[in-house]
Every structure is written in C-alpha cells, then in structure tokens.
Amino acid sequence: MLRTPLLSLARRLSTQKRVGLFGYEELRSPDGFHVLNERVKFKCEQLLKDVISGPGKSRPAIYMLDDMSNEICKVADMAECTRVLHTDPAFAVAAEDCMRNFTELVETLNTSQDLYRAVKSSLKTEADRLDEVDKRVIDLYLSDFEKSGIALETAKERKEFVQLSSAIFDAGSEFANNTNVPPKLNILERHNYHSCDTPYPMTPIRDLREWHYNRFYQFSENQEGCLRHLIACRDRLAKLTGFESYAHRAQENMLLQDFDGAHEFLHDLIKKIRPSAEAELAMLEEELRSEDPKVTQVAEWDLQYLMGNLKGRIFPRDSIMQYFSLESVMNGFQTIVNRLYGMNFTFEYPEEGEIWKGRSQRIDVHIGSEFMGTIYLDINTRQVKAVGDSHFTVRCSKLLESGEHQTPIAVLSLSLVNGQSASSIHDMFMSSYEVQNFFHEMGHAMHSILGRTRFQHTAGTRCPTDMAEIPSNLMEFFFKSPKIMTTLFKNPSGATMPESDAQALISSRNMFHNMETLQQVVLSLLDLELHGPAAQSIIEGKVTSADVMNSIWSQALPSMRRNPESGYAHRFGHFVQYGAKYYAYQVAQASAELIWETQFAANPFCPEAGKRWADVQSYGGELPSHKLLEMALGYAPTSAQLTGLSRPNETRTVNASI
C-alpha cells in the first residue's frame, strides 16, 4: 500500500540537494535552455553532415536522421512542458524562447534539399540494409519533408514556409495563454458579482447563471484576431504545400483517411445521437420548469446546473469521494497495470530542482527487473498552468546505437490540490471526474512507457492523433467498470465500494452522455470547419468563429437556446494542439469502446488480453493505425461501425462522452 506523504517544500529543501530540471545539470537556472539549444544545433550540424555525406555510411541514413530528431525533441519537448507548467516565470520564458528557436531549426531542416535527397535516395542506395519498419519510417519522414514544402520551387517560398511556421507557433502560444484567463470585471461588476472565475455557477438563480456564462464567454476581439491570424497562417501554409486547406492537410495517416471521411463521420454521429440528445434536453426542460413554470426553453447556461441536479439525485457526490483518495486511486491504477502488464510502480520524491516547486510525485516504472521509464505527477491547481489536465512526453523511447533503449519520461498535469490543505495522499480526496481524468492521462503515460520502438519518431504517442487517444480513452472504460470500482477503491477504513454505490455512480455518469457527446461533436466540427471550408471567410472577416459555431449548433440541436455572439471558441485551447483533428477524440472513444467490449469487459484483469494490448501499444506509430486497431480487435472497423450505425452482430449507441 502507498503511504507516501506530500512533503512541504521547506522540508524538501532541508533534506535534498539541488539538481537540474529533469536531471539536466544545465537547467539549474533558466539560462541552461540557451546552452542546450546551442548544443543541439551543434550536434545536428554534425549529424546532418554525416547523413548527406554520400555512400559508405557506418549506419543507414534513417538512423542518423532519427538521432538528429531525437536530439531536438529531447530538449524541445521538455521546453514545451516547462513553458506551460513551470511555476518560475523565468524558466517559462526561457523555455518559450527555446521552443521558438527549435521551431525555426526544425523547419529549416525540413526544407533542406540536401537532407531530403539523401533520405529519399537511401531507399535505393541502402535497400539491402533496410527492413519494412525502416522503410515505413523513411516514408513518414519524407511525408513530413513534403508537408514542410520541400518541393517548393523557389528559395523565397521555402523562406515563407519557415516564417509561417514561426508565426503559427507565436499565434498559437498567445491564443492558448489567454484561454483560461478570467475576465476582468469593472467596478460595478465586482460590486454586484464579486468574481467570474467559472462560467457555470451551481446556483438556482437563472439570471445569475446567464450573466456568469455570457460574461465568461464574452466575445473577445483580441482572441478572435489571434485565432484569425492562426487560421490565416495555417491556411497559407497548407496552400503553399499543395493542399486545399489546413483541414485537408491534417488528415494524413488518420484512421478516417481524409477530410471527407472525417466530415462524414461527424455529421453521421450528429444524426445518430440527435434524437437521444433531444430527449435528454426535454428532461432538462422539465426540471427547469419545476423551478420556473414560465420558462419555455433550456439555455446553454442552464445545462451544467440542471444536469448536476438530476445526477445528484441518483447519487450524492460527497458520499462517493471517501473511496477516491489519491492514495486509493493510485493503488487501484497500479493494480490494474500490474495484472495486465506485470508493471510495478516505485514512488519517490523529486529532488529539489528536478521539477518545479509545488506538490509533485515521481513514479519509476518497472516490468520485472527492467526499468521502463519515469512519470512525474504535478497535482497543484494554479492559474499559471496554461493547460488543464494533460500529459506531456518529455522524452520518448528509442533504440540507441549502444543497443539499449532510451527510457521515456512523462509528466501528468492534474489540478487536484488548491493550497496546502492536504498533508498526504491518503487524505487528499478526488471527485469521480478527477479520477476519470487521472485514468485518462495515465493511459497516455502507459502508452509512452510501453513503447519500445526502434525510432523516436514513432515512439509511444508519436502516432496519428486518433490512435494516440485510444489507450487513454480505454482506461476510462476501466474506471467505469463496476468490477474495478468494487474491487480496487477503498475508503480510509479499508472498506471497498459497495456494488450499489458503483452502479449508482455509473448510472449518474451515463446520464446525458448524448448531450455531452453532442457538445464534443460540435466542437470537433467547429475545429474542422474553421480550418477548412470556413477558413477564407474567417480570414477575410466576413464571419467570426461565433457565427460558425452558432450555425453548427443551430443544425445540431436547434431547440436549445444559446447566445449567438458567444465567444466560447475563444476559450477552446485545443484549436492550437489539435488543429482540424479534435474529432480524433470521438474516433478514439468509439474504438476504445469496441476494444473494451471485445477484450476486457468480461474480465478487466485478463493477463492474456493485457499482453495483447501492451503489444499493440509497444508499436507506437511503427505500424499504420488501421493495422494496430485491427490487431486489437481482430477486424478493421468501418466508419459506420465506429459511429454505432453498424456493428458486427449488433447495433448500439456509441457511449462517447468525453
């Protein structure tokens, strides 16, 4: 059993020596990022000379190219994580500068004609030294080259590509940094409402709910301009490289293959779930009328309050949290991966300087005697976090020239602790939503840890977005299993959760899943449209993101009242990370459900099924996504099967709530 206290910072300072961030001695101070940046540039220059040197190389060109990519990614991925999570602004700024420099370096290399020709010609000149995995990774790198404008005819066009890439990074960073900033209230607003930190106050006063929602999501000219610039740069970059739009460019290697496939999938999903969503909306309307008989229509700002009321009647939230201490949840998750994968966790304190200040935990992962990698948990709630709950791959797996595997490092950002109220993980309690998010993000971490690929370019979550989201979504199904709940989660006295509590919790979580899914599908379609058919109108200022979102909602669920001028899109940071691929969550949810039903539902602890699934994850992106999904399921599902319109031997609604 885990009984690891979360020590105060003062105690850690008195008992541990200071090291550099993630073990890099250079990163005892922010200036170290500049040192690492210069070192990586030097190593890349040397490797570039080796790759383009002609025949007679000691190793195939693809191995040296992947070494070059690994040198960059080891620092760039760490810098990205530091940029959004570090509590010291100086480290965050230095990391962002480092990221900007690497963006320019990567795009300069991606537009190097000499490098491209050397890698492409290696398919012939080194054919006797390459196997199918080598050739696939070469093709993936060549695709990246070609998407980066390598075929552009003039130096002017290639220079524009690099400039656009830098502008996209800057616009994306600015947009993302402002998505979670609370609105600034004027004197009168502060007097009347005090604050507006949430769009969903759980208050029975409907006018107050409306004000908070509309004020939090008030249309921002600054955010709209930033989003417009991001879309314009992405659109120009896509067209410069021969694509119809950025949305078309983004679909390469995805499970649904192209823009039309993704567009059709989302519209089919809306058609499938709209009747059930309308029935759920009618339930909410009935609840609303019980409070105010004069109300004729449920509005967006009513949804969370009404859903919470109805779910709460089925299962009171407070009574379930006694089973969800962080200690219980971590023990439970470790039990699952131990029985499925033979994995063991060792919990340690990070040394001072190894990670930023705050409540954190280091987990060293082993399978048998083999060290697999490290996971850091950052569990503090703080405004300087530029993202919500999320997973960062700081270092990927890779087969090194020595024959050993580079071990992965992952960071999980979770918002569990606000202030210093809990002294240890056994008296820190989580809501069921927080537990589900923990399982989701740990699913990503397992994907990273289990990767044992030859190349870092295809390691762990370095695969198409929809495939990368399947392991995390599958872990949510484990959490929602009655057998898991009643076996693994215990209250402080050691009693496991009763079956009746587990079933009630699952029923409450499944309530309104069609409404919740529809919300995610609308956001997915918005992401696709803004980067596709609507891009030019957005760029020219003919329409706004609010106009596009309102149009989608009007078709998806016209009976719900909403503010057509809402700046909801201005708070949606996933535009930056997923750009025309947010729908991958829906594909991943459907795929994960199929895997759960066929492999784990009957026995969540089945070691044979666990080994098969671990093997699938170990490939990362070394095999095409459809092949990996076929390995997991035993067949390749069609788009219709994923939407639930058709299933082998059965038909059912996809439970795709996020």
Side-chain angles (χ1 to χ4, degrees):
M1 285 289 290
L2 291 169
R3 303 299 286 186
T4 310
L6 290 167
L7 291 182
S8 68
L9 177 62
R11 184 176 172 189
R12 286 191 231 174
L13 284 172
S14 66
T15 60
Q16 297 180 334
K17 64 179 182 178
R18 183 174 180 81
V19 300
L21 190 64
F22 294 113
Y24 282 86
E25 290 301 308
E26 298 84 355
L27 293 179
R28 291 173 182 264
S29 71
D31 294 340
F33 275 111
H34 176 72
V35 175
L36 291 176
N37 197 293
E38 293 303 311
R39 184 179 301 167
V40 168
K41 287 182 180 178
F42 176 77
K43 289 183 178 179
C44 286
E45 287 173 2
Q46 299 303 116
L47 286 165
L48 178 61
K49 290 177 183 178
D50 292 340
V51 173
I52 66 177
S53 63
K57 301 181 184 69
S58 59
R59 295 185 297 152
I62 184 58
Y63 287 80
M64 289 184 280
L65 174 60
D66 196 67
D67 285 349
M68 192 187 311
S69 178
N70 189 47
E71 290 296 331
I72 294 171
C73 290
K74 281 192 299 183
V75 179
D77 291 343
M78 176 176 59
E80 171 63 8
C81 178
T82 303
R83 181 181 73 85
V84 298
L85 293 182
H86 208 293
T87 54
D88 184 343
F91 267 97
V93 170
E96 184 162 343
D97 289 342
C98 179
M99 282 293 301
R100 187 174 292 106
N101 289 333
F102 276 132
T103 299
E104 295 174 3
L105 171 63
V106 169
E107 295 307 338
T108 299
L109 291 171
N110 282 347
T111 54
S112 167
Q113 295 283 343
D114 290 340
L115 182 58
Y116 174 70
R117 284 193 291 265
V119 175
K120 189 171 185 178
S121 65
S122 72
L123 284 167
K124 293 182 179 179
T125 60
E126 300 175 348
D128 59 335
R129 306 170 71 183
L130 305 174
D131 62 17
E132 291 306 310
V133 171
D134 297 331
K135 293 174 184 177
R136 169 169 165 78
V137 176
I138 290 174
D139 287 340
L140 290 173
Y141 270 113
L142 292 176
S143 175
D144 287 345
F145 275 116
E146 288 155 9
K147 289 201 309 187
S148 295
I150 198 70
L152 296 176
E153 295 182 357
T154 68
K156 180 180 178 181
E157 288 176 319
R158 291 192 289 274
K159 181 179 179 181
E160 182 185 7
F161 186 95
V162 174
Q163 291 172 337
L164 284 168
S165 298
S166 181
I168 288 169
F169 174 79
D170 289 340
S173 296
E174 181 182 349
F175 183 84
N177 287 340
N178 289 320
T179 55
N180 293 320
V181 177
K184 293 182 179 180
L185 306 186
N186 59 37
I187 295 175
L188 182 60
E189 288 173 327
R190 286 200 301 272
H191 179 268
N192 292 334
Y193 302 102
H194 303 295
S195 65
C196 187
D197 296 332
T198 174
Y200 303 112
M202 299 302 285
T203 173
I205 304 172
R206 196 179 192 218
D207 289 346
L208 193 58
R209 295 200 300 269
E210 181 176 359
W211 182 87
H212 271 270
Y213 183 90
N214 288 323
R215 188 65 179 89
F216 191 87
Y217 290 120
Q218 185 173 336
F219 190 91
S220 165
E221 292 292 347
N222 182 67
Q223 280 291 81
E224 184 68 16
C226 190
L227 181 59
R228 184 183 302 114
H229 183 54
L230 175 64
I231 291 168
C233 290
R234 282 175 166 173
D235 189 69
R236 173 59 187 155
L237 184 144
K239 289 174 178 172
L240 191 64
T241 51
F243 291 90
E244 182 178 337
S245 72
Y246 192 82
H248 288 77
R249 180 180 186 267
Q251 306 314 314
E252 189 170 3
N253 295 318
M254 297 289 278
L255 279 166
L256 299 181
Q257 299 183 352
D258 55 28
F259 174 85
D260 291 337
H263 201 259
E264 180 183 1
F265 169 78
L266 291 173
H267 279 282
D268 284 348
L269 198 50
I270 288 175
K271 292 176 184 176
K272 175 66 179 178
I273 63 179
R274 183 192 289 131
S276 297
E278 288 175 340
E280 291 172 358
L281 189 65
M283 289 175 58
L284 296 175
E285 185 175 320
E286 184 178 348
E287 173 71 9
L288 186 60
R289 284 180 177 169
S290 71
E291 296 186 2
D292 185 355
K294 297 179 181 179
V295 172
T296 59
Q297 198 173 21
V298 174
E300 280 186 309
W301 44 88
D302 298 319
L303 295 179
Q304 295 300 318
Y305 168 73
L306 296 174
M307 287 180 183
N309 279 357
L310 288 168
K311 288 182 178 183
R313 286 180 201 157
I314 292 178
F315 194 84
R317 295 179 184 177
D318 293 341
S319 63
I320 196 68
M321 290 181 69
Q322 63 176 309
Y323 300 101
F324 293 149
S325 70
L326 181 56
E327 177 184 43
S328 175
V329 171
M330 291 169 74
N331 275 329
F333 190 90
Q334 180 180 206
T335 298
I336 294 170
V337 296
N338 176 265
R339 294 177 69 172
L340 292 180
Y341 312 139
M343 199 176 268
N344 290 298
F345 292 169
T346 303
F347 295 84
E348 303 285 353
Y349 295 123
E351 296 184 61
E352 195 216 335
E354 185 180 353
I355 195 170
W356 39 89
K357 294 179 181 179
R359 300 294 186 88
S360 59
Q361 199 86 62
R362 189 180 80 222
I363 305 173
D364 291 332
V365 183
H366 292 79
I367 294 181
S369 61
E370 183 180 6
F371 175 62
M372 300 294 291
T374 297
I375 303 168
Y376 292 91
L377 299 182
D378 171 0
I379 61 175
N380 270 107
T381 299
R382 56 185 183 272
Q383 285 193 356
V384 295
K385 279 189 177 182
V387 295
D389 291 352
S390 52
H391 162 271
F392 294 85
T393 302
V394 172
R395 187 174 71 199
C396 285
S397 174
K398 171 182 166 63
L399 184 63
L400 301 173
E401 191 175 0
S402 65
E404 297 179 345
H405 264 98
Q406 175 175 284
T407 52
I409 299 174
V411 174
L412 268 60
S413 171
L414 304 167
S415 297
L416 303 180
V417 181
N418 190 359
Q420 305 293 319
S421 57
S423 61
S424 64
I425 61 175
H426 60 268
D427 60 7
M428 184 185 304
F429 294 93
M430 305 163 66
S431 71
S432 62
Y433 290 93
E434 288 171 334
V435 180
Q436 183 168 316
N437 285 349
F438 177 88
F439 269 61
H440 181 100
E441 302 305 339
M442 283 295 283
H444 281 307
M446 292 299 98
H447 197 182
S448 294
I449 295 294
L450 286 166
R452 279 297 179 267
T453 50
R454 192 177 306 173
F455 300 100
Q456 74 85 31
H457 192 65
T458 55
T461 55
R462 291 191 188 279
C463 55
T465 308
D466 42 19
M467 189 65 209
E469 291 295 336
I470 293 175
S472 56
N473 280 286
L474 180 60
M475 290 314 303
E476 293 189 29
F477 283 97
F478 276 89
F479 166 64
K480 292 182 284 189
S481 162
K483 185 169 184 178
I484 293 291
M485 286 192 181
T486 56
T487 303
L488 301 183
F489 299 127
K490 300 178 180 180
N491 65 16
S493 65
T496 55
M497 185 186 299
E499 176 77 21
S500 58
D501 283 2
Q503 292 293 351
L505 174 59
I506 292 167
S507 295
S508 71
R509 294 302 305 272
N510 287 338
M511 284 185 75
F512 308 111
H513 75 264
N514 292 290
M515 281 289 297
E516 291 165 353
T517 300
L518 192 59
Q519 289 175 311
Q520 295 300 317
V521 175
V522 167
L523 289 169
S524 300
L525 199 52
L526 175 67
D527 177 42
L528 203 64
E529 292 285 348
L530 290 181
H531 290 95
Q536 198 59 40
S537 295
I538 289 284
I539 294 166
E540 294 173 358
K542 294 179 179 178
V543 299
T544 67
S545 59
D547 296 329
V548 178
M549 188 168 190
N550 193 54
S551 175
I552 296 171
W553 265 120
S554 296
Q555 297 174 53
L557 198 64
S559 53
M560 182 179 71
R561 181 186 168 196
R562 66 183 314 275
N563 177 4
E565 298 178 359
S566 168
Y568 192 102
H570 301 160
R571 300 277 186 180
F572 190 63
H574 288 305
F575 285 138
V576 178
Q577 182 180 1
Y578 290 96
K581 293 188 287 190
Y582 185 67
Y583 77 90
Y585 274 108
Q586 302 305 317
V587 176
Q589 278 277 353
S591 301
E593 183 181 23
L594 291 176
I595 294 170
W596 171 258
E597 289 175 347
T598 59
Q599 306 298 314
F600 296 106
N603 180 7
F605 301 115
C606 178
E608 292 78 17
K611 184 180 185 307
R612 285 194 299 271
W613 180 232
D615 288 342
V616 171
Q617 293 178 83
S618 72
Y619 285 101
E622 279 187 347
L623 295 178
S625 297
H626 66 91
K627 290 288 186 184
L628 292 172
L629 190 54
E630 186 174 358
M631 285 173 60
L633 291 171
Y635 67 95
T638 65
S639 177
Q641 288 167 350
L642 289 173
T643 58
L645 298 174
S646 171
R647 293 283 178 88
N649 304 319
E650 60 180 315
T651 301
R652 67 164 58 83
T653 300
V654 174
N655 176 16
S657 57
I658 294 295

